[in-house]
Amino acid sequence: METSELLQLAIAGLKNGSIYALLALGFTIVYAATNVINFAQGEFYMLGGMFAVYAFTQFELPLLVSVPLAVLVVAGIGMLFETLAIRPRKDAEPMALIIITVGGSLVFASLARHAFGSDALPLPEFTAGPSFLFAGAAIERQTVWIWGIVLVTVAGLTFLYSKTRLGRAMRACMQNREAARLMGIDTARVVMISFGLAAALGAVAGVAVTPLTSTRFDIGAGIAVKGFAAAILGGLGSPLAAVAGGLLLGLIEQAVIPFSSALKDVVALGVLLAVLFLRPQGLFRRARREKM
Amino acid sequence: METLKRGTRGALALALALGIMLPSGCASDGAGDDGAATEPYVVGAVLSLTGAQSGLGGPEKNAIDMEVARINEEGGINGHELVVIIEDDASDVDQAIARTTKLIEQDGVVAIIGSTGTGQSMAMRDVINEAQVPQVALGSGSIITAEFDPLVFQTPWTADLIVPLALEYLKAEGHTKIGLITEDTGFGKDGQALVNETAADYGLEVVSDQVFKPADTDMTGQLTVIKGAGADVVLMWSSVAASSIVPKNLEQLNLDIPLVCSHGIAKQEFIDGAGAAGEGVVAFAGKVLAPETYGVGSESYEAATGFVERYTAEYGVAPDHFAGHAYDGLYLVVEALKRLDEGFTSADLRDEIEKTSGFAGIGGVFTFSATDHNGMTADDIVIYRIEDGRWALAE
């Protein structure tokens, strides 16, 4: 296999991996605040694309407006979902809350089906034009957008966590919610904002991918599996680890394709299982003692 | 299930006793009719209205809804109202079995149309056999009629029919090295197996054999491997929405290799999804996208143009061949019902469908026999190319 082909596979891996990374970030942020895996994360991804398509085709808004608008709307939906469905049961077992998120994902998917129909809906690329060529490999413009979005997102999250009051409150909740509450942090607000942030990240991923793939009401579950796998690889801890988990998963998938494209998903999920068995704390996190 | 059946029989018996209706010598539940011309003929349809094959199931439902209304407006079948109960299998094999069971046990249908997909159509077979109800499948896998079942008929063209045409075309175009890409479904595997088995007979070589899942969002990896293998044409066997990503990825990779496809993509959804990258894509399908190819004035031409006109007026878009397969499935059952007298059994209906000869449908002219339950020939297929966002004849 030639270098240019390897490079092309790596580009594809980093492209898909970036999307997994954004979803993994969503899983990680909600998990940090609540110890809950939010199975509606894939539906936030789907809704992001849907609202962008809707705003673009029905209201004929420019992409520059449709895309951020869709992300904001989905962030709102995420916070609303937390307020209406999670908060009333906030003291329940994490398992009960996880079931609520599963229910939420089904509700979002069927509402989307009724609102937007069951066909695949396309969206134009953010900037149309031929791919960039790099050492014999092609990089499509939308991929550059996706990478840019991931970089900005990671930078923004890092800033949020390290430099802002809200970020410090979120980190405090991550370490010990009860103690944070006793220190005067409004933990309910942190949880709500975490859901909003996770929903926004899912929507960003969905909006960024829709020009390449079109979107449909039932695509959430498939991508959520990938995002969840990436989050587990990253250990559900730091945002950077989630991004690394996503990129790694994307690269593993592409590495399998030259041998057998039919086994792509099998191998990727096999790696996930191996990680769960051998390093349950994730690839990038030192094992630590469970805090009381 | 047995108790349900018994319950239905009980209800029929009660109705009989009350003299409301008279199931005259009818063996199958609910199929009976008393000649009072008020009892409807009930047919079931299992379609993939949601899930990966919703792009196919939607037009199928449209066609059936529209034609059933038309048949009833014109007085129904021999004075009986026609009722078609449509169930959604969500493109899922287990759902297809459950929905079929429901239609037979609860609704007492005389025949089943569907499912949309090959996998679902095959999975329904056990239920069909247990109840001995005829099935007209809308899935296009060769296996549906190759693995012969006297109860099962099929309206779409199969891979057995189209693969030889596609390979012949590739040979005529001077290609030698095929990069094959197929979806990981019953439909895709059907084409994949047949292309691999028979390519050598046409002097063609499959240099790369790639697969994608209906949920995949990116095929650049598979296409990079195809390019690396030196393919001079990409042959795609797919019918799911994700197929429209392939021409986009080809363009994004700056791969200047022609893309030739099965009938599975001959629909508007593919053109919408692929956008400008879809221009020039070649597909093999029936004549409904260009009705003049039936031969102006022929019976098929009249049937197809009438159907296209009604469908376009009703739904605002021209029908694709999936709508046509459903039309054919419906009318194969309806025409057989028309020829039957009151009090027929499911076995009579099956026999009558098998006697179909020269039925001018949308997919082609159907002539079934005791060994051929697909009844289509290469004459029913033409070659299309996407030009200016439309399916145009390639000749």
Side-chain angles (χ1 to χ4, degrees):
Chain A
M1 174 164 274
E2 289 175 36
T3 335
S4 65
E5 287 161 27
L6 280 176
L7 188 62
Q8 192 71 61
L9 290 175
I11 289 167
L14 292 175
K15 173 177 71 174
N16 297 335
S18 298
I19 297 305
Y20 304 157
L22 287 172
L23 281 143
L25 279 172
F27 279 109
T28 304
I29 287 169
V30 167
Y31 183 80
T34 59
N35 278 342
V36 164
I37 301 293
N38 170 27
F39 278 96
Q41 189 63 35
E43 273 61 39
F44 294 145
Y45 167 93
M46 175 271 293
L47 287 174
M50 280 294 185
F51 282 120
V53 171
Y54 192 76
F56 182 75
T57 56
Q58 298 299 313
F59 298 136
E60 296 180 3
L61 297 174
L63 268 182
L64 203 65
V65 180
S66 305
V67 168
L69 191 65
V71 174
L72 284 177
V73 169
V74 176
I77 290 176
M79 289 195 273
L80 198 66
F81 175 58
E82 192 277 331
T83 315
L84 295 181
I86 304 288
R87 189 172 301 175
R89 298 291 314 274
K90 68 177 189 306
D91 297 319
E93 289 286 303
M95 185 50 85
L97 296 176
I98 288 172
I99 302 291
I100 291 176
T101 68
V102 173
S105 78
L106 296 174
V107 170
F108 288 136
S110 18
L111 287 179
R113 184 188 157 204
H114 285 290
F116 306 111
S118 57
D119 286 345
L121 303 172
L123 190 71
E125 289 180 41
F126 292 179
T127 43
S131 303
F132 302 111
L133 284 177
F134 174 71
I139 306 175
E140 66 235 63
R141 287 168 187 241
Q142 194 65 23
T143 303
V144 178
W145 271 104
I146 290 172
W147 288 339
I149 286 169
V150 170
L151 280 178
V152 169
T153 306
V154 171
L157 280 178
T158 310
F159 177 78
L160 175 77
Y161 274 128
S162 59
K163 298 280 193 260
T164 67
R165 208 178 145 73
L166 173 66
R168 282 196 290 273
M170 291 174 81
R171 269 165 51 210
C173 283
M174 203 186 295
Q175 290 193 347
N176 189 326
R177 183 143 55 119
E178 199 51 29
R181 198 179 61 79
L182 290 171
M183 299 299 285
I185 290 172
D186 184 353
T187 52
R189 182 166 157 267
V190 168
V191 170
M192 186 180 78
I193 290 174
S194 299
F195 264 88
L197 196 55
L201 288 167
V204 164
V207 167
V209 167
T210 302
L212 298 174
T213 62
S214 303
T215 186
R216 208 177 49 221
F217 77 97
D218 60 354
I219 58 169
I223 200 78
V225 171
K226 300 286 176 67
F228 178 59
I232 295 291
L233 284 177
L236 284 166
S238 88
L240 276 178
V243 172
L247 296 179
L248 189 64
L249 183 65
L251 288 171
I252 292 171
E253 282 183 354
Q254 296 299 317
V256 178
I257 286 182
F259 303 100
S260 164
S261 47
L263 290 180
K264 175 171 70 81
D265 288 11
V266 178
V267 172
L269 292 178
V271 169
L272 171 70
L273 284 177
V275 169
L276 279 173
F277 282 127
L278 301 174
R279 285 189 64 86
Q281 75 276 23
L283 289 177
F284 311 106
R285 199 152 66 148
R286 264 185 245 116
R288 57 166 189 185
R289 280 185 217 97
E290 198 58 40
K291 282 193 289 287
M292 291 304 287
Chain B
M1 269 157 48
E2 199 47 42
T3 50
L4 257 179
K5 255 186 191 163
R6 233 176 267 136
T8 316
R9 280 197 200 105
L12 282 172
L14 186 68
L16 178 86
L18 290 170
I20 295 166
M21 50 184 272
L22 221 87
S24 51
C26 165
S28 86
D29 299 338
D33 188 78
D34 58 354
T38 49
E39 184 72 356
Y41 284 157
V42 184
V43 173
V46 179
L47 306 174
S48 304
L49 303 180
T50 58
Q53 284 151 346
S54 62
L56 291 62
E60 290 171 352
K61 177 178 187 297
N62 286 349
I64 291 177
D65 283 344
M66 183 180 84
E67 291 304 303
V68 168
R70 174 164 170 262
I71 290 166
N72 286 327
E73 267 166 32
E74 292 174 0
I77 303 170
N78 304 336
H80 298 262
E81 188 197 351
L82 172 66
V83 174
V84 177
I85 302 173
I86 297 177
E87 296 283 343
D88 175 21
D89 69 16
S91 311
D92 177 75
V93 171
D94 294 323
Q95 280 292 317
I97 297 171
R99 297 293 96 198
T100 308
T101 308
K102 183 257 176 191
L103 286 170
I104 292 173
E105 302 274 341
Q106 284 182 29
D107 302 320
V109 299
V110 290
I112 296 271
I113 298 169
S115 168
T116 303
T118 299
Q120 299 96 293
S121 297
M122 290 303 289
M124 288 153 61
R125 190 165 287 192
D126 284 346
V127 186
I128 293 291
N129 264 293
E130 199 181 317
Q132 290 290 305
V133 166
Q135 173 192 8
V136 184
L138 307 181
S140 81
S142 313
I143 188 171
I144 292 174
T145 37
E147 215 166 85
F148 192 79
D149 185 316
L151 285 167
V152 182
F153 301 85
Q154 180 183 30
T155 60
W157 325 286
T158 61
D160 281 343
L161 181 64
I162 297 202
V163 165
L165 299 174
L167 295 178
E168 189 63 50
Y169 171 84
L170 295 185
K171 184 182 168 189
E173 291 286 302
H175 298 298
T176 52
K177 293 176 174 172
I178 302 174
L180 183 62
I181 185 160
T182 55
E183 66 181 36
D184 194 3
T185 65
F187 177 80
K189 283 175 185 163
D190 193 24
Q192 182 192 24
L194 205 59
V195 170
N196 276 307
E197 273 166 34
T198 57
D201 303 344
Y202 298 83
L204 298 160
E205 187 193 352
V206 177
V207 292
S208 181
D209 183 3
Q210 300 294 320
V211 172
F212 64 88
K213 303 242 184 275
D216 278 2
T217 55
D218 175 69
M219 289 78 168
T220 48
Q222 285 93 327
L223 294 171
T224 300
V225 176
I226 282 178
K227 176 195 177 193
D232 56 23
V233 64
V234 176
L235 179 60
M236 172 161 74
W237 216 263
S238 174
S239 65
V240 295
S243 59
S244 64
I245 300 171
V246 169
K248 284 172 136 180
N249 284 168
L250 275 171
E251 188 178 89
Q252 284 147 5
L253 291 173
N254 287 334
L255 282 186
D256 198 15
I257 307 180
L259 176 61
V260 176
C261 305
S262 71
H263 48 305
I265 64 148
K267 54 188 169 186
Q268 192 58 37
E269 189 189 44
F270 181 84
I271 293 181
D272 292 343
E279 290 293 307
V281 170
V282 170
F284 294 79
K287 299 171 177 172
V288 66
L289 298 172
E292 68 274 16
T293 51
Y294 291 110
V296 176
S298 69
E299 203 182 337
S300 294
Y301 176 81
E302 298 299 333
T305 46
F307 174 63
V308 170
E309 235 166 65
R310 289 194 298 278
Y311 192 101
T312 312
E314 182 82 24
Y315 302 109
V317 286
D320 52 26
H321 67 81
F322 301 100
H325 296 322
Y327 172 100
D328 294 344
L330 177 70
Y331 276 101
L332 285 169
V333 175
V334 167
E335 292 297 322
L337 283 171
K338 274 186 190 165
R339 297 193 295 267
L340 284 168
D341 296 326
E342 310 282 333
F344 63 88
T345 64
S346 291
D348 296 335
L349 179 56
R350 188 217 77 87
D351 293 347
E352 204 55 51
I353 296 175
E354 193 170 82
K355 285 182 199 149
T356 299
S357 176
F359 166 67
I362 308 297
V365 178
F366 290 82
T367 301
F368 291 144
S369 72
T371 51
D372 183 1
H373 278 190
N374 178 251
M376 305 278 255
T377 65
D379 291 339
D380 297 314
I381 304 298
V382 288
I383 307 172
Y384 293 99
R385 178 179 284 124
I386 300 177
E387 280 167 17
D388 302 324
R390 285 183 62 253
W391 290 107
L393 276 180
E395 274 94 344

